[in-house]
Amino acid sequence: MNKILALALVSAFMASWLPAGEVLEDVVEKSFPLDPSGTFSLRAIDGIVEIFGTDSREVTISATKKAFSPERLNAIAIRIDARPDAINIETTSPPEPRHHFMDRSGTVEYSINLPQTARIARVELPHGELVIKGMRGSSITANLGTGELVTQNCFCDQTIHVKQGTLNVFFDWSETRPFSIDAAIADGNALARIPPGASFQLHAVAKEGKVWSDFAQSRKQSDVSEINEVIGDAPATKLNFRADDGNIHISEVIW
């Protein structure tokens, strides 16, 4: 599935979330202290999640709830369990309407700042857009149902999965600290942007698609396209990409 189709799917989901009419909004803003080595977890509902690593020792949360009726807006629940070493956010969507053509609206847009060395233990988003930038903790674990997932300049272990849509892993520069990325997409395309001169171990497999890289040649065995190569000298970074039905492109960043 290409990116245009993936965005069309997200737009279709958005249309189903929010029928025509005036959008009602309610903004929730909170801040909590968090140890630099603390953990963060978020279970979201349909919408947008943006997470940014910062030098601060606190978490700031801005959540914009959206719906087309006061009843459904008020039915969106955001519960925050905040401790100095861990913050967990649970989001509850409005109940499913009894009839198919009744109002099904209800989304949340999250913008969250975290200490960049915190561990992201879990982020779950059913449908929408998930962006994580500038993290340097021990690990990130994130799962997206349908839509687009992006991590950018996150120099830490990553376990990121997408069921349908697009999966992007971007680096604007390289570092020598060791970390590994396990990125998988069931239906859709994956893209990694790597700066020139980077050293890394690459294993990319597309079961029903194509793998190509600006750094190495791919080979095909039966219907599987695969690259398994070491790029550069003494690489500390391991990149593992899997696509069940879609393509994988390992791209060299050209400035």
Side-chain angles (χ1 to χ4, degrees):
M1 174 187 298
N2 58 35
K3 185 173 182 179
I4 294 176
L5 182 55
L7 292 176
L9 279 171
V10 175
S11 298
F13 277 113
M14 289 293 292
S16 67
W17 300 336
L18 301 176
E22 181 182 358
V23 179
L24 304 178
E25 295 186 0
D26 180 23
V27 178
V28 177
E29 295 184 337
K30 301 285 186 180
S31 62
F32 303 95
L34 182 65
D35 295 340
S37 60
T39 63
F40 174 84
S41 299
L42 167 65
R43 191 190 305 272
I45 64 173
D46 297 343
I48 298 172
V49 174
E50 296 179 321
I51 299 174
F52 304 96
T54 71
D55 293 330
S56 174
R57 295 177 65 93
E58 69 175 10
V59 175
T60 61
I61 303 163
S62 176
T64 303
K65 303 190 293 183
K66 297 184 178 183
F68 275 96
S69 69
E71 294 77 15
R72 292 193 67 81
L73 187 68
N74 294 331
I76 300 173
I78 298 175
R79 298 179 178 86
I80 304 174
D81 178 15
R83 305 190 308 271
D85 62 342
I87 290 181
N88 179 58
I89 304 173
E90 294 284 339
T91 319
T92 304
S93 59
E96 286 292 322
R98 291 182 296 174
H99 302 292
H100 179 72
F101 294 104
M102 294 180 66
D103 182 8
R104 295 175 175 270
S105 63
T107 65
V108 178
E109 296 181 3
Y110 279 103
S111 180
I112 299 169
N113 292 334
L114 291 180
Q116 62 182 354
T117 54
R119 179 173 70 94
I120 298 180
R122 172 177 57 88
V123 176
E124 296 183 5
L125 176 65
H127 309 290
E129 182 180 356
L130 172 56
V131 179
I132 304 175
K133 295 184 177 182
M135 295 303 299
R136 293 174 172 273
S138 60
S139 62
I140 294 170
T141 300
N143 295 282
L144 171 65
T146 301
E148 181 178 22
L149 187 155
V150 179
T151 68
Q152 183 172 3
N153 298 329
C154 292
F155 295 91
C156 55
D157 292 345
Q158 301 180 40
T159 302
I160 50 179
H161 296 159
V162 176
K163 288 184 179 179
Q164 188 176 50
T166 57
L167 188 158
N168 301 315
V169 177
F170 298 154
F171 291 99
D172 296 325
W173 64 87
S174 59
E175 296 188 1
T176 57
R177 62 179 296 176
F179 62 91
S180 64
I181 296 176
D182 182 3
I185 184 165
D187 184 2
N189 298 326
L191 170 65
R193 288 202 316 227
I194 311 296
S199 296
F200 55 95
Q201 299 179 42
L202 172 63
H203 187 203
V205 178
K207 294 180 179 179
E208 298 289 341
K210 181 182 178 182
V211 177
W212 73 98
S213 168
D214 298 340
F215 299 89
Q217 294 292 324
S218 64
R219 66 177 184 273
K220 193 158 187 175
Q221 298 178 345
S222 300
D223 294 329
V224 176
S225 180
E226 180 177 10
I227 293 177
N228 193 355
E229 299 286 347
V230 174
I231 311 300
D233 298 326
T237 302
K238 297 180 180 179
L239 305 181
N240 296 297
F241 284 81
R242 301 186 308 279
D244 292 336
D245 187 1
N247 303 316
I248 300 172
H249 183 196
I250 311 300
S251 171
E252 183 179 19
V253 177
I254 304 297
W255 303 110

